[in-house]
Amino acid sequence: MPEGTGGTPPRTLAEALRTQSDDSLAALLRARPDLLTPVPSDLSQLATRAGTRASVVRALERLDRFTLQTAEALAVAPEPAPYETLRALLTGDEGDPRIEAALPCAVRTLRDRALIWGGDDRLRLVRTARELLAPSPTHPSPTGLGPTVAEATSGMSPGRLQEILAAARLPSTHDPVSAVASLTALFTDRTRMAALLDTAPMEALSVLDRLVWGPPYGEVTSSPTPPVQWLRDRGLLLPATTRTVVLPREAALHLRAGRAHRTPEPVAPDVAPRASEVAGGSAGGSLGGSLGSSASGSAGGSANAGNRAHIVDSTAAAQAYTTLATVEELAKDWNEGGPNVLRAGGLSVRDLKRTAAALDVSESVAAFWVELAYTAGLLATDGEPDERYAPTPAYDDWQELSSPERWARLATAWLTATRTAGLVGSQDSKGRTLAALGPDLDRGPAPEVRRRILELLATLPEGTAPDPESLLARLRWERPLRGASSAGRSDDLRSRLAAWTLNEAEMLGVTGRGAISSHGRALLARSSPDGRDTRAADTRAADTRTTDTRAAEAGLGGPRSGDGGVTGVTGISRGGPRPADGGLGGPRLADGAVRTSAELTAAGLRAAAALAPLLPEPLDHVLLQADLTAVAPGPLLRPLAELLSIAADVESKGGATVYRFTPGSVRRALDAGQSASDLHDFLKAHSRTPVPQPLAYLIDDVARKHGHLRVGSASAYVRCDDEAVLDEIVADKRSQGLRLRRLAPTVLSAHADPTTLLDGLRTMGFAPAAESAEGDVMITRAHAHRTPPRAAPAPVPDGPPVPDTTLLGAAVRAIKAGDLAATVVRKPVQVPEPSAPLSAAAVAAAAAAAAGNGELPRTTSAETLATVQAAAMTGSAVWIGYVNADGAASQRVIAPVRVEGGYVTAYDHTADEIRTYPLHRITGVAELADDPA
């Protein structure tokens, strides 16, 4: 049994924490990182902080369903409750081996997270947790139980209590306390309670059936029916208000056969394969059997599984290639400066629609691609007065990577991002529509839900897609909504995040046909210290809870004697650890560790290596056809793709991309500085087919006309050596909007700007060229607008970050050292006589120190110096009060080493290091009864 100070059972949570090892305290701080900010000064402060409402609520919300049910059962049990009472509340009178096997692990989890304390004979729930979980009229318990008999009769008159005892055929008592005890004893006695209910009318039993599983409250009229009156007379229904009655907890537990919950869930539900997968597997097995041997059937099943895995990988790889092409197309669309930033931040609905049309996708899908590029740091705002979105310099660096590495960058950014594209278009609590790239799209649970979804997919055989409902059921078991029904709700945030994760993983290429791909599995894996891939171990650890519980069902686990005589909780050799935080941990892994940026980068590289063989190699050629089209049978090398995108228009996409050459596209290439000969040479070098004659004629014809007209800025002018061409322009009615005026036989002026004039002449069928002030043709290339260097948006974590091992070790040492300073036994301080020169305040301070109430010791400078010098000579430790330069007071236990020059150099047990303290900042000193060193 855990012991408090002096070998007695712990009386408080702080005393229980003092019995814990350093590893146990580190595990507590890892599971509840909010307790670490700031670092508690001692274990008493840690216990106080662990009992605050906000911290307890956060801890309860990170429990799995059965552990939460265990805490709920403990909240309705008498305090303190023996382990056997808790087990009876969960298993009922009939017992349940599954619950008996899983309960020790649940109790251990609650104890490790400082939600319960005490030995197995005196389990106590933290007071705040009991207040949150215990039933009350304003806050019903998830168990559906009501108040106890003592609570429900607290305001009842003694005469009414005696009437209830008489109706229940119980002897009268002399006081209300014994009357309540007698009624409680009746309701908890199975035999006598059964005999009482045997005399109840059938209608009365029907009333109890409606209340037994909750809610336990019911309304009554001023003239209740005979069955209700029969129940009220015998205390089976007690008044809650003037018009409301309640079923007492003890009576409800009897009617429930002792169970606190209607449906305890000690075992995590399995993630089942999709129905089509099961049907396909069954068909394969039947076929193998019909061929005559079980070995043939097994080989056929393995072949089918391997074929499914290959199809999944191929499908996911194709989608990964589409992801890269879509992000590049998005950046190209915003290359010269994308849409404006809304005043409140984000993308307007009109700009999102235009982007969706440019990408040829729906608005919700466009929002995902925009958010993905933004999360990966490839898009950002430019910070100009007329703020717009544009690619960042990181986008240019990203383009230099190989295709698998580019995909891995996007996938790791998506996996760890808190921004949630699925919220775009919905409304916030104030009724405002959430915009893409807006400031209100961060949701803390998103990374942990994404990772957990992928981990659960990885527990299925390769190439197997899950049944979505079973996947959601597993998530709800691992992280239930506190106070919600066990069935869960389909509209809660985590359920929506799970649905969005499945869709986004499919679009991104992490999954294919609903099953996780091989590069998706690599994205989840970690490297062991020796460099081995641990993806298989990680996925096994993610499902440890279910496997171990099944083993316990088979008789491999159960309550056993543990350390220090505790039975059923601390000595479990089987029933291995549950996934940390109920299996959900965002960057947390199954063992509670945290994914560092280096680990994420390494996982991305492994995923890129797994994806590389599945992606096609970029091609250096196209197939030119006589209908002025070029077919790219696969991805193209970047230089070829860039020039082809300028010289031709994309007509269709798919397994092969079709480009079409038009006069406008050829002119665009000429405007970009290409000549006709350059285009001819380029097409000859990169076409596996001869250049068709129509395409050669098109290039030569456009090049011959290109630049014949020159446009400059006057506001704007047009000049041409051929006067007939200018006559034709002036005579054309379509030129009236340009307001042209002839300045000379070969020169026209216009009121329009050069860009408008160029566009107008091209609309009229001419091929003008812009010229500079020196008369040279201006080459118009697409201006790549880039933002200043921008960092990718930082995820908004769901609560405090989990500390690393180094910080945990230092924090535990500091807390235990501070606790030593606060609880160390000191020698009595002699309170001076009233005639002594000390003031009354000093006398009171000395008395307070003698009483050990946590006040800083107060001594004179001479006494401080003498005591410290004596401790340095004898090598003993002393207790001091110290005020630092900022005025913060603290108490410390030090072992002085040297005293000179107004300073004392000592080993500080609180800080666990050698420090030097000015003597004038020491408020006082006291000797210790025992030397802690």
Side-chain angles (χ1 to χ4, degrees):
M1 177 184 300
E3 295 181 351
T5 57
T8 60
R11 296 167 297 176
T12 63
L13 176 60
E15 290 186 3
L17 291 177
R18 290 190 178 100
T19 66
Q20 301 294 318
S21 65
D22 290 358
D23 291 340
S24 298
L25 290 176
L28 168 62
L29 296 176
R30 182 182 292 110
R32 298 177 64 178
D34 57 297
L35 302 180
L36 197 57
T37 308
V39 177
S41 60
D42 53 37
L43 288 173
S44 295
Q45 191 178 81
L46 176 63
T48 301
R49 195 176 296 175
T52 58
R53 183 180 182 89
S55 180
V56 170
V57 168
R58 184 180 296 276
L60 291 175
E61 288 176 347
R62 301 191 74 86
L63 299 176
D64 63 53
R65 188 178 300 282
F66 183 66
T67 305
L68 185 59
Q69 287 180 332
T70 302
E72 292 166 352
L74 200 56
V76 299
E79 189 178 29
Y83 179 82
E84 291 73 17
T85 300
L86 176 63
R87 180 174 56 194
L89 283 172
L90 289 167
T91 61
D93 297 340
E94 298 177 357
D96 189 332
R98 300 183 309 158
I99 296 177
E100 293 179 1
L103 183 58
C105 183
V107 173
R108 184 176 60 209
T109 299
L110 292 172
R111 180 175 282 143
D112 290 346
R113 300 190 185 186
L115 292 172
I116 65 172
W117 55 277
D120 274 11
D121 58 338
R122 299 175 64 85
L123 290 174
R124 294 178 182 269
L125 197 62
V126 173
R127 180 185 303 173
T128 309
R130 176 173 287 274
E131 293 173 354
L132 290 169
L133 298 176
S136 68
T138 58
H139 179 74
S141 168
T143 60
L145 293 170
T148 62
V149 172
E151 294 168 347
T153 59
S154 58
M156 188 174 292
S157 65
R160 176 60 183 152
L161 283 172
Q162 297 303 322
E163 291 176 0
I164 294 176
L165 293 182
R169 298 181 181 179
L170 295 173
S172 61
T173 62
H174 299 288
D175 57 85
V177 175
S178 57
V180 170
S182 178
L183 192 61
T184 302
L186 169 64
F187 290 166
T188 54
D189 188 316
R190 291 286 190 266
T191 303
R192 290 195 293 160
M193 187 64 172
L196 176 63
L197 292 176
D198 287 341
T199 64
M202 291 300 299
E203 295 82 357
L205 295 178
S206 299
V207 172
L208 293 178
D209 288 341
R210 290 198 297 270
L211 299 177
V212 63
W213 291 109
Y217 295 90
E219 291 187 2
V220 294
T221 62
S222 56
S223 300
T225 60
V228 174
Q229 188 62 47
W230 190 93
L231 295 172
R232 294 184 65 179
D233 291 343
R234 288 153 183 79
L236 292 172
L237 291 180
L238 295 173
T241 65
T242 56
R243 298 180 58 85
T244 308
V245 293
V246 63
L247 177 65
R249 185 183 306 169
E250 294 85 352
L253 286 174
H254 173 83
L255 296 171
R256 296 178 177 196
R259 292 205 311 272
H261 294 85
R262 188 169 197 167
T263 310
E265 298 182 56
V267 181
D270 290 331
V271 179
R274 198 160 50 192
S276 58
E277 306 277 350
V278 176
S282 301
S286 300
L287 179 61
S290 65
L291 293 179
S293 76
S294 60
S296 299
S298 176
S302 300
N304 287 338
N307 187 45
R308 286 200 307 269
H310 176 71
I311 293 175
V312 165
D313 286 348
S314 300
T315 305
Q319 193 57 41
Y321 171 72
T322 302
T323 296
L324 300 179
T326 305
V327 172
E328 289 180 354
E329 188 174 353
L330 172 63
K332 188 182 299 182
D333 186 47
W334 292 8
N335 197 43
E336 298 184 51
N340 291 329
V341 181
L342 293 175
R343 181 179 302 176
L347 202 62
S348 68
V349 175
R350 180 181 59 186
D351 289 327
L352 180 61
K353 288 182 178 180
R354 191 194 64 79
T355 302
L359 299 180
D360 194 22
V361 295
S362 65
E363 293 175 30
S364 60
V365 175
F368 169 69
W369 295 124
V370 169
E371 284 289 340
L372 177 64
Y374 177 69
T375 300
L378 307 182
L379 296 177
T381 58
D382 58 10
E384 299 293 334
D386 183 19
E387 199 170 24
R388 309 174 72 89
Y389 290 104
T392 64
Y395 171 74
D396 299 320
D397 299 334
W398 177 77
Q399 280 193 307
E400 298 301 321
L401 300 174
S402 65
S403 295
E405 291 174 334
R406 285 187 288 148
W407 178 85
R409 278 276 300 275
L410 296 176
T412 53
W414 168 77
L415 190 60
T416 58
T418 55
R419 294 191 63 83
T420 309
L423 293 171
V424 173
S426 61
Q427 292 185 335
D428 61 9
S429 58
K430 297 181 180 180
R432 296 173 299 190
T433 301
L434 299 177
L437 302 181
D440 301 320
L441 295 182
D442 286 287
R443 296 296 182 270
E448 60 184 89
V449 172
R450 291 192 192 109
R451 174 169 293 280
R452 188 55 184 155
I453 285 287
L454 298 183
E455 287 175 346
L456 292 175
L457 293 180
T459 61
L460 295 173
E462 292 186 357
T464 302
D467 174 54
E469 289 302 321
S470 68
L471 193 63
L472 288 177
R474 177 61 175 265
L475 282 178
R476 294 187 185 114
W477 186 92
E478 291 180 346
R479 188 70 62 79
L481 293 172
R482 192 170 58 85
S485 64
S486 60
R489 302 197 313 268
S490 60
D491 60 342
D492 65 89
L493 177 61
R494 291 184 180 275
S495 297
R496 289 185 292 158
L497 286 173
W500 292 334
T501 296
L502 292 174
N503 293 333
E504 292 170 1
E506 194 76 16
M507 288 191 291
L508 193 56
V510 177
T511 61
R513 296 195 173 188
I516 191 168
S517 61
S518 58
H519 46 279
R521 293 176 186 270
L523 198 63
L524 299 174
R526 289 184 301 157
S527 291
S528 62
D530 57 1
R532 292 181 294 103
D533 192 349
T534 61
R535 74 189 71 172
D538 283 344
T539 53
R540 285 195 300 270
D543 212 33
T544 300
R545 175 76 183 92
T546 305
T547 305
D548 290 338
T549 306
R550 288 177 184 155
E553 292 177 24
L556 300 179
R560 309 174 70 173
S561 260
D563 299 335
V566 181
T567 60
V569 177
T570 57
I572 309 302
S573 62
R574 295 178 176 87
R578 301 181 184 213
D581 300 317
L584 290 174
R588 297 177 181 85
L589 300 174
D591 56 3
V594 181
R595 282 234 174 190
T596 63
S597 57
E599 288 177 332
L600 288 171
T601 301
L605 293 177
R606 288 191 296 273
L611 177 62
L614 303 172
L615 289 179
E617 290 292 332
L619 304 177
D620 61 352
H621 64 274
V622 295
L623 304 176
L624 295 177
Q625 302 186 105
D627 60 350
L628 299 181
T629 60
V631 178
L636 301 177
L637 292 173
R638 185 167 306 281
L640 174 58
E642 289 178 351
L643 186 52
L644 200 59
S645 65
I646 296 174
D649 298 323
V650 176
E651 188 170 77
S652 66
K653 298 179 181 179
T657 304
V658 178
Y659 296 86
R660 178 167 293 279
F661 294 91
T662 64
S665 67
V666 174
R667 189 196 66 246
R668 190 169 61 232
L670 297 175
D671 288 341
Q674 299 292 325
S675 64
S677 59
D678 292 337
L679 291 177
H680 285 300
D681 294 341
F682 173 80
L683 294 176
K684 289 178 181 177
H686 294 92
S687 176
R688 290 291 178 89
T689 58
V691 178
Q693 193 177 53
L695 179 56
Y697 285 168
L698 173 64
I699 294 173
D700 293 337
D701 186 51
V702 174
R704 184 171 57 253
K705 297 178 182 179
H706 184 263
H708 193 51
L709 292 175
R710 301 294 182 89
V711 174
S713 56
S715 286
Y717 66 84
V718 182
R719 70 179 182 86
C720 181
D721 295 336
D722 189 347
E723 298 179 18
V725 174
L726 296 184
D727 292 338
E728 182 182 351
I729 293 174
V730 172
D732 197 322
K733 293 182 179 180
R734 290 175 294 176
S735 68
Q736 291 179 359
L738 302 176
R739 300 176 65 185
L740 299 173
R741 185 167 64 88
R742 199 159 200 148
L743 300 180
T746 58
V747 180
L748 296 176
S749 68
H751 286 268
D753 61 270
T755 302
T756 303
L757 184 55
L758 281 168
D759 293 339
L761 292 176
R762 287 168 180 166
T763 303
M764 295 166 61
F766 298 95
E771 72 175 8
S772 65
E774 291 77 17
D776 299 325
V777 174
M778 295 177 61
I779 298 174
T780 57
R781 293 189 178 93
H783 174 61
H785 180 62
R786 293 291 181 265
T787 70
R790 297 274 195 252
V796 180
D798 184 23
V802 178
D804 57 26
T805 305
T806 303
L807 177 58
L808 284 175
V812 169
R813 289 195 301 271
I815 293 171
K816 299 200 78 171
D819 195 64
L820 171 65
T823 60
V824 69
V825 181
R826 305 144 195 151
K827 287 185 178 180
V829 178
Q830 297 296 328
V831 181
E833 298 295 332
S835 59
L838 290 178
S839 65
V843 174
N853 62 357
E855 296 288 339
L856 296 180
R858 300 285 181 178
T859 56
T860 64
S861 299
E863 290 174 336
T864 298
L865 178 61
T867 305
V868 170
Q869 287 176 335
M873 295 177 60
T874 60
S876 59
V878 293
W879 175 58
I880 67 170
Y882 181 74
V883 180
N884 63 15
D886 297 327
S890 61
Q891 50 187 342
R892 301 172 180 272
V893 175
I894 65 172
V897 177
R898 184 173 63 254
V899 183
E900 60 182 7
Y903 291 88
V904 54
T905 302
Y907 174 76
D908 190 336
H909 289 271
T910 307
D912 197 20
E913 63 182 4
I914 299 293
R915 288 188 174 182
T916 300
Y917 298 99
L919 283 171
H920 68 276
R921 292 192 178 278
I922 297 178
T923 63
V925 61
E927 297 180 0
L928 304 181
D930 296 311
D931 186 357

